[in-house]
Amino acid sequence: MEDINAIAVLQDPVRRRLYEYVAAQGREVGRNEAAEAAGVARTLAAHHLDRLAEAGLLESSSRRLTGRSGPGAGRPAKVYVRARAERSVSLPARDYRTAAELLAEAAEQAGLDAGLCAAARRRGEALRGSAAPCGGLEEAMEMLAARGYEPHLEGAEETTGVAARVVRMRNCPFHAVAERFPPLVCGMNLALLEGLLGVDGPVRARMDARQGECCVVVEDSKNNRD
């Protein structure tokens, strides 16, 4: 019932807007910023943000937003980030996570990585259907968002000094199992996205793990430096 109660907290529309804004930033967010984004007063935003933290949907801490320290630096402000804990609801109760972990353990012990990746690539192609390979990063972001990856675009300076656009993903839909079996599940995830986006189009998926994000990134194919 704990997860149900936590998710029920999002029923309030203001609270949900605040949660979605904080979750989308991928960094600490102060009360003033959150209030402005949600279009509400700071006191109301503070009330709802604290309620989200009490429900375990956000994590809160305090720090000086000015970046200064010592006398005159101002009082620490309360900031919020999305909680790392997962929440899910299934009525009646189901335990697909345990099944996934058992299957992953068996596949890893049997050395079935290649077979799993082949199946994942076929599933990605089936999800794409008869559509052509993804036409660009913007289209890729739409497809990834629909799958729950929470993509965001960032620029990365290459050694040539030319800015390369890279799509990173704040959420891995397979996070819980990937934590226990990273090579197996991350390889499966890469193969799935290769099938979904296509390997012959203007974008490609590749491994580039970063703490707290999906292990796969998507970039322009021309950035490939194999």
Side-chain angles (χ1 to χ4, degrees):
M1 294 298 293
E2 182 181 343
D3 283 358
I4 294 177
N5 292 336
I7 294 173
V9 168
L10 296 173
Q11 184 175 0
D12 182 278
V14 173
R15 202 172 291 157
R16 181 161 185 168
R17 288 204 306 274
L18 288 164
Y19 173 79
E20 290 175 344
Y21 179 78
V22 173
Q25 304 316 301
R27 56 173 173 79
E28 294 177 330
V29 175
R31 288 171 167 176
N32 287 338
E33 179 186 347
E36 183 177 351
V40 297
R42 182 184 183 279
T43 52
L44 181 60
H47 166 74
H48 285 306
L49 289 167
D50 286 340
R51 183 71 184 87
L52 289 165
E54 290 169 6
L57 296 171
L58 298 180
E59 295 176 358
S60 64
S61 59
S62 297
R63 68 175 178 85
R64 289 186 172 90
L65 298 179
T66 61
R68 303 195 305 270
S69 60
R75 296 175 58 188
K78 204 164 187 179
V79 292
Y80 304 83
V81 295
R82 179 167 58 181
R84 288 165 287 186
E86 247 179 59
R87 302 286 183 178
S88 62
V89 174
S90 178
L91 297 174
R94 297 287 187 263
D95 190 7
Y96 300 113
R97 175 173 171 175
T98 296
E101 290 178 349
L102 288 170
L103 290 168
E105 182 178 356
E108 188 174 74
Q109 292 178 353
L112 299 178
D113 304 54
L116 176 62
C117 287
R121 193 171 288 107
R122 289 194 300 271
R123 175 59 63 91
E125 292 170 350
L127 291 171
R128 177 159 52 91
S130 59
C134 182
L137 291 183
E138 285 72 19
E139 182 181 343
M141 289 182 69
E142 293 180 6
M143 297 172 70
L144 293 167
R147 304 296 305 174
Y149 284 91
E150 299 184 5
H152 63 101
L153 189 65
E154 69 175 35
E157 288 294 323
E158 297 184 296
T159 55
T160 59
V162 178
R165 299 192 308 162
V166 176
V167 175
R168 293 190 175 272
M169 294 166 269
R170 294 195 176 96
N171 183 50
C172 171
F174 316 110
H175 174 73
V177 186
E179 276 195 318
R180 290 197 56 190
F181 308 95
L184 180 77
V185 178
C186 290
M188 177 199 76
N189 188 26
L190 175 61
L192 176 71
L193 293 182
E194 286 175 340
L196 180 67
L197 301 174
V199 295
D200 299 322
V203 302
R204 68 156 187 159
R206 64 174 175 86
M207 290 286 195
D208 187 10
R210 178 189 286 182
Q211 184 67 29
E213 294 190 340
C214 180
C215 59
V216 179
V217 300
V218 178
E219 64 182 5
D220 292 323
S221 296
K222 63 183 179 182
N223 295 333
N224 191 342
R225 297 180 177 275
D226 293 339

